[in-house]
Amino acid sequence: MIDRIFSGILLPLIFLGLTFGGAGLNLYLTAGQAWETSGAREQEPVKLRTVTHRIQTAAEARVAHRQAIIDFYYRLQLLMGKRAFNDFTLLKALDGGLNSGSFVPPDPPGLRETAKHYQVLKDSAVAVGGQLVFFSPPVRPVRGAAVYEPGMPWLDVNPRVDKFLNYLREYDVDFIDARFHFTDVGTLTPDQVMYKTDVFWTSRAAFEGFRQLVTGLEDLFDLRLDPDGYYRDRNNYDQVTYSQLFLGGLGRRSSFLVAGLDDFTAIKPKFDSNYAVEIFDQSLGLMKQQGHANQTLFFDSQMRPPAATGAAAGGAKLFLPYNYYLLGLHSMVTVKNLDRPDGPRILLIQDSFGVPVGCFLAPLAGELVMVDPLATDYVPELDRFIGEKKFDLVIILFSINNI
């Protein structure tokens, strides 16, 4: 009974008291600072740099106060045993992972039209002697991973994926469904497939997805991309796991207190390689690099700042370790394999899920082109682009959330 009173009355009262107290203190300090600044203006001119510094200091103080209040709010919510936050738009599963909440599951229009467009792209590939496949990555909730309290309006997008794959069947577009592969074969446990604070798949899942993709392509089209399985062998890659490194997109919608921080595993090849890489996007312009995969595709420099400080919660909130792979998602990337110039020409049409997969695919191709069709700065007309470049293989790798 006492616990119930404490949860239902005292904690909210404490929260309201601290909130109004903090707001009053902030108002008092802001008013005092404004008075001091006004007095300074009457006595002597104030340099622009000084004014800017004062504004910045006041803003930082308000942001710090706001974050402290937010963290305290979520701490209270957790003490009361709550697993639904932000008006049920964010839910915490019993296994600790986060997911979006929705009382009415969205059914976005355009799935059939997208499937029909993929048929057009397939026709363009077949016309030049190539093949096309759609690769469906895992989505949250992963089967067997997320268990919610009864009545929780957790969002399951798997029916949307099923619907889209049925449209692909209707239009005779080949696909590889990777949603349940990892847990079915026991390669990864359910909680190792997706980050607990993000909608993105883990590096280990992306590598297993690459392995399944190559195996699926060999079965579908009788391609010999990796005939002896060398590039699919986990023993030929270094894997370094950084513990408690970052807070994903779902986690940033609340607080690191709700689900904690995610680990990140950096995976890179042990074998020799030699690539000429061109990266183009609006922010970077055109960047060219040649050399080993560790200089052109996998960037250890992206792991250093948080690792050096132990990845404390504050520093981990804005850190994006996904940029370890190819410095992130770009409008277009061209990777020429200088060790295998006669290898197949592969086009990877992708969102951020495809970036690590593209890095793992590079040694199997003579030339790999990665295109983000959602980019606003540069997108080629894909059906014509496929015909002009005469790609041997077109892979579409998109999360259902971006279709």
Side-chain angles (χ1 to χ4, degrees):
M1 183 69 180
I2 295 177
D3 290 342
R4 214 177 269 175
I5 295 174
F6 180 74
S7 309
I9 299 176
L10 292 183
L11 283 176
L13 286 176
I14 292 172
F15 171 70
L16 289 174
L18 288 175
T19 300
F20 286 115
L25 178 61
N26 188 56
L27 180 62
Y28 172 79
L29 293 174
T30 304
Q33 185 181 45
W35 183 85
E36 291 175 2
T37 303
S38 175
R41 272 200 299 267
E42 293 177 359
Q43 295 176 6
E44 61 181 13
V46 179
K47 294 181 179 179
L48 178 60
R49 182 180 301 175
T50 304
V51 174
T52 303
H53 176 71
R54 288 176 179 172
I55 294 174
Q56 180 179 351
T57 302
E60 289 174 351
R62 284 194 291 273
V63 169
H65 170 73
R66 178 177 177 273
Q67 185 61 48
I69 289 296
I70 289 174
D71 289 345
F72 183 75
Y73 167 77
Y74 283 107
R75 193 182 296 275
L76 286 176
Q77 298 291 299
L78 294 170
L79 284 173
M80 290 187 285
K82 291 191 174 182
R83 290 183 172 272
F85 309 94
N86 303 355
D87 295 328
F88 288 93
T89 61
L90 186 67
L91 305 179
K92 182 178 180 180
L94 297 180
D95 65 3
L98 298 179
N99 190 16
S100 297
S102 177
F103 286 97
V104 181
D107 186 17
L111 292 182
R112 178 183 288 276
E113 289 73 13
T114 300
K116 188 174 182 179
H117 176 60
Y118 288 174
Q119 182 191 47
V120 173
L121 298 184
K122 175 186 175 180
D123 293 341
S124 299
V126 172
V128 293
Q131 302 285 354
L132 179 142
V133 68
F134 175 79
F135 185 89
S136 185
V139 295
R140 182 174 258 109
V142 177
R143 184 169 59 194
V147 179
Y148 298 88
E149 291 181 343
M152 285 288 188
W154 51 275
L155 179 62
D156 185 0
V157 297
N158 282 293
R160 196 191 315 173
V161 179
D162 294 335
K163 186 176 183 179
F164 182 69
L165 297 184
N166 283 331
Y167 287 143
L168 292 181
R169 288 189 185 96
E170 182 179 333
Y171 289 105
D172 196 27
V173 176
D174 292 299
F175 62 84
I176 298 172
D177 186 359
R179 288 177 294 162
F180 310 120
H181 168 78
F182 314 125
T183 53
D184 284 347
V185 299
T187 304
L188 299 176
T189 59
D191 62 337
Q192 294 173 330
V193 176
M194 310 286 287
Y195 291 113
K196 63 182 179 180
T197 68
D198 211 308
V199 298
F200 197 57
W201 61 355
T202 64
S203 288
R204 293 179 63 188
F207 180 75
E208 296 303 325
F210 151 74
R211 298 176 73 241
Q212 187 192 4
L213 173 63
V214 175
T215 301
L217 289 170
E218 292 185 341
D219 293 341
L220 279 171
F221 307 127
D222 196 27
L223 298 175
R224 312 322 300 167
L225 296 173
D226 184 23
D228 57 2
Y230 178 84
Y231 297 105
R232 283 171 283 177
D233 188 342
R234 302 182 192 90
N235 295 320
N236 292 325
Y237 296 81
D238 285 320
Q239 299 191 28
V240 180
T241 298
Y242 298 82
S243 179
Q244 301 289 289
L245 188 64
F246 75 104
L247 188 68
L250 290 174
R252 290 195 295 273
R253 285 166 50 185
S254 55
S255 166
F256 74 95
L257 296 168
V258 174
L261 300 176
D262 267 307
D263 298 342
F264 182 83
T265 299
I267 304 175
K268 63 182 178 182
K270 298 177 182 178
F271 48 82
D272 291 334
S273 56
N274 190 16
Y275 302 110
V277 178
E278 292 186 359
I279 299 175
F280 173 79
D281 66 21
Q282 194 170 19
S283 59
L284 292 176
L286 180 63
M287 185 175 72
K288 297 183 179 182
Q289 187 75 23
Q290 181 173 329
H292 193 276
N294 296 342
Q295 300 169 309
T296 55
L297 302 178
F298 305 88
F299 291 86
D300 288 330
S301 60
Q302 298 299 304
M303 309 305 298
R304 290 172 188 165
T309 60
K317 290 176 183 178
L318 299 178
F319 179 62
L320 299 176
Y322 323 123
N323 291 339
Y324 170 78
Y325 300 101
L326 206 56
L327 299 177
L329 179 65
H330 308 287
S331 304
M332 177 175 285
V333 177
T334 301
V335 182
K336 293 185 178 180
N337 188 347
L338 303 181
D339 291 335
R340 192 181 181 184
D342 298 329
R345 297 165 62 84
I346 300 177
L347 173 63
L348 177 60
I349 303 171
Q350 39 108 60
D351 59 8
S352 56
F353 274 73
V355 175
V357 175
C359 293
F360 300 132
L361 272 174
L364 280 63
E367 181 178 3
L368 171 68
V369 179
M370 304 167 63
V371 174
D372 171 20
L374 302 179
T376 57
D377 45 355
Y378 175 72
V379 179
E381 190 175 337
L382 290 175
D383 54 345
R384 188 172 64 184
F385 185 64
I386 291 171
E388 291 174 350
K389 299 287 287 185
K390 294 182 172 57
F391 288 103
D392 300 296
L393 178 62
V394 178
I395 302 167
I396 303 174
L397 203 170
F398 262 88
S399 169
I400 193 65
N401 296 316
N402 288 324
I403 292 178

